[in-house]
Amino acid sequence: MEIKRLSASAFNTFKKCEFAYYVSYCLGMKQPPTLKTSIGTVVHAALEEWAKGNLNYVESLKIAYVENKIDEFPETTTKTFQLCVSLTERVLQRPVNPITQYEIIGVEHEFNMVLSSVPVIGYIDLLQKTEDGIFVIRDWKTGSFIKSYEDVKDDFQTQLYDIAVNEVVDPGSDAIVVMDYIQSHPVTIAYTDGEREHNKNTILNTIKKIRSIKKPRRIPPCWVCDRMCIKRAVCDKLYADAEKCDFNVDKMSELYNITKKESTNDQADPK
């Protein structure tokens, strides 16, 4: 499969299902936002504004709520906005506010690097530095699903952000990665130099594997298909058409009227 640019989301999608990666990042047929992902975007926006000095988080939530058209989702209720407020306050009203705990280096801090000739991009929600010079990489997670310590440590996002800070933001620096599950608790990871090198080799091998695949496989039908991807019936149709097209991106793009701009994977994943 062709790779134009990669992100943590792209890596994790490939890990989950090769065909899902093909659909989203080769064809560019990404799923529209759901109410859950849009709530996450709203809360992210309010926390970002607060970190930039705009302390009126309720007003920031109202603005983001309208911008993300939350009221247009059929599942939206009178309690949806209050949920956004509650999630935001779970962060800001902690005994120790993580946003003010350390020096802020960047908010939505963009990084760009090249691995195996492939541009890799990402945005760190909150990048900080302790008095000892250790970087703190914090990513807000608003969903109810909480990954275990082991799963967070093996996650491509955690590994990629750590490598980016160590190699691009401040070469040779030490960092800890905090996946902040707002509805539960933060999970903190600190990689050794040996683990970081292992993680980088894993990512490089994954890039090599993506390039080598001519016919992406699908995972067996399961809850992931309906809750975290396109509906299985839609996937069946897409897969049948892809097989007829020999998984040729140009042929599939023509069949589904996908423009060239839409069918590239050279853009960062939206928050």
Side-chain angles (χ1 to χ4, degrees), residues 6-267:
L6 286 173
S7 64
S9 295
F11 279 114
N12 280 326
T13 299
F14 177 78
K15 185 178 181 180
K16 177 184 70 177
C17 176
E18 294 175 5
F19 187 64
Y21 172 89
Y22 170 83
V23 171
S24 293
Y25 295 97
C26 294
L27 296 181
M29 297 175 66
K30 294 190 178 183
Q31 295 302 296
T34 64
L35 177 59
K36 286 185 178 181
T37 60
S38 296
I39 287 173
T41 302
V42 170
V43 175
H44 272 80
L47 293 175
E48 177 183 344
E49 286 299 309
W50 203 94
K52 291 178 177 178
N54 183 0
L55 305 187
N56 189 344
Y57 62 89
V58 174
E59 185 62 26
S60 296
L61 285 169
K62 289 179 180 178
I63 293 171
Y65 195 90
V66 172
E67 289 178 346
N68 287 274
K69 303 177 181 180
I70 303 298
D71 282 334
E72 294 185 12
F73 290 97
E75 313 98 298
T76 298
T77 69
T78 55
K79 296 181 180 179
T80 302
F81 181 74
Q82 186 54 45
L83 174 61
C84 296
V85 174
S86 175
L87 289 171
T88 304
E89 291 179 342
R90 276 177 174 263
V91 174
L92 300 180
Q93 295 180 1
R94 290 177 187 173
V96 177
N97 186 330
I99 299 177
T100 59
Q101 188 174 7
Y102 306 113
E103 176 192 2
I104 295 178
I105 303 301
V107 180
E108 281 293 296
H109 188 87
E110 181 181 0
F111 66 82
N112 292 270
M113 59 182 177
V114 178
L115 295 174
S116 188
S117 73
V118 176
V120 180
I121 58 175
Y123 295 89
I124 298 172
D125 288 341
L126 182 64
L127 182 63
Q128 298 167 294
K129 184 184 282 189
T130 69
E131 292 181 355
D132 297 329
I134 298 173
F135 282 94
V136 180
I137 304 163
R138 189 175 297 270
D139 192 84
W140 308 113
K141 301 294 185 185
T142 56
S144 58
F145 178 75
I146 314 299
K147 287 187 176 182
S148 67
Y149 174 87
E150 291 76 16
D151 286 342
V152 171
K153 191 172 184 179
D154 289 339
D155 192 282
F156 276 119
Q157 182 183 17
T158 314
Q159 297 173 357
L160 197 61
Y161 285 13
D162 172 73
I163 292 170
V165 169
N166 179 261
E167 295 192 1
V168 179
V169 176
D170 189 357
S173 61
D174 292 320
I176 60 174
V177 186
V178 183
M179 291 296 158
D180 199 322
Y181 293 96
I182 296 174
Q183 296 197 44
S184 181
H185 57 82
V187 177
T188 302
I189 305 294
Y191 296 108
T192 65
D193 290 341
E195 288 173 330
R196 183 178 295 117
E197 187 64 27
H198 171 77
N199 294 340
K200 185 175 180 179
N201 287 333
T202 299
I203 291 172
L204 292 173
N205 287 332
T206 301
I207 292 174
K208 183 178 180 180
K209 183 176 181 181
I210 293 174
R211 284 173 167 155
S212 70
I213 290 176
K214 304 299 182 184
K215 182 179 179 180
R217 297 176 298 177
R218 291 196 297 173
I219 60 173
C222 64
W223 64 271
V224 173
C225 301
D226 286 340
R227 290 180 57 185
M228 300 179 67
C229 196
I230 57 178
K231 300 295 183 181
R232 191 68 185 193
V234 177
C235 183
D236 288 341
K237 174 75 165 58
L238 276 170
Y239 198 82
D241 288 338
E243 283 189 311
K244 292 176 183 177
C245 294
D246 295 322
F247 296 92
N248 182 284
V249 171
D250 290 336
K251 292 180 180 179
M252 281 292 287
S253 297
E254 182 178 355
L255 181 64
Y256 281 87
N257 295 316
I258 303 171
T259 66
K260 186 175 181 180
K261 181 179 180 180
E262 291 171 335
S263 63
T264 60
N265 56 8
D266 61 352
Q267 296 180 354

